[in-house]
């Protein structure tokens, strides 16, 4: 969303919420395009609004969806796990970040 690049994160989120409702209805909740919208929302929450709780919720939802629909080895799944790890790092939750890294270590090595 170009609004994020202009640092209008709240405007971006308004747009993303609308897009998410449409994509969930048309494509379904587990479709990769729907999940990418959720990733974009997580990014806006993390980078723009510094709302790490909401960012974590978005990134977890995307990670779960990608893992179920595309598998653990898919690039989108790996990226979503990395996004969640960054949120943990930003919050100083290093044990949780380390646990996530252990879970995806073999997958990330195959990148």
């Amino acid at each position: 969303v170009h609004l994020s690049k202009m640092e209008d994160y709240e405007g971006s989120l308004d747009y993303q919420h609308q897009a998410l409702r449409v994509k969930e209805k048309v494509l379904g909740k587990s479709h990769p395009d729907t999940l990418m919208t959720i990733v974009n929302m997580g990014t806006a929450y993390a980078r723009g609004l510094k709302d790490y709780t909401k960012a974590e919720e978005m990134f977890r939802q995307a990670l779960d969806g990608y893992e179920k629909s595309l598998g653990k080895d898919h690039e989108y799944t790996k990226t979503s796990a990395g996004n969640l790890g960054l949120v943990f790092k930003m919050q100083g939750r290093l044990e949780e970040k380390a646990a996530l890294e252990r879970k995806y270590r073999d997958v990330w090595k195959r990148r």
Side-chain angles (χ1 to χ4, degrees), residues 62-77:
L63 177 59
D64 290 345
Y66 282 136
E67 195 166 317
K68 288 176 186 170
S69 64
L70 300 175
K72 194 173 179 179
D73 288 331
H74 194 278
E75 195 63 34
Y76 290 169
T77 307

Side-chain angles (χ1 to χ4, degrees), residues 23-40:
K23 288 179 181 183
E24 285 179 338
K25 186 176 181 180
V26 174
L27 301 174
K29 291 185 178 191
S30 62
H31 190 280
D33 288 348
T34 305
L35 297 169
M36 186 57 69
T37 299
I38 294 169
V39 169
N40 291 339

Side-chain angles (χ1 to χ4, degrees), residues 59-98:
F59 290 144
R60 280 187 188 277
Q61 185 177 348
L63 177 59
D64 290 345
Y66 282 136
E67 195 166 317
K68 288 176 186 170
S69 64
L70 300 175
K72 194 173 179 179
D73 288 331
H74 194 278
E75 195 63 34
Y76 290 169
T77 307
K78 296 178 205 179
T79 299
S80 292
N83 289 339
L84 183 57
L86 286 173
V87 168
F88 289 155
K89 181 179 178 181
M90 289 176 192
Q91 294 177 301
R93 294 164 57 190
L94 301 181
E95 288 182 23
E96 288 171 270
K97 181 180 183 290

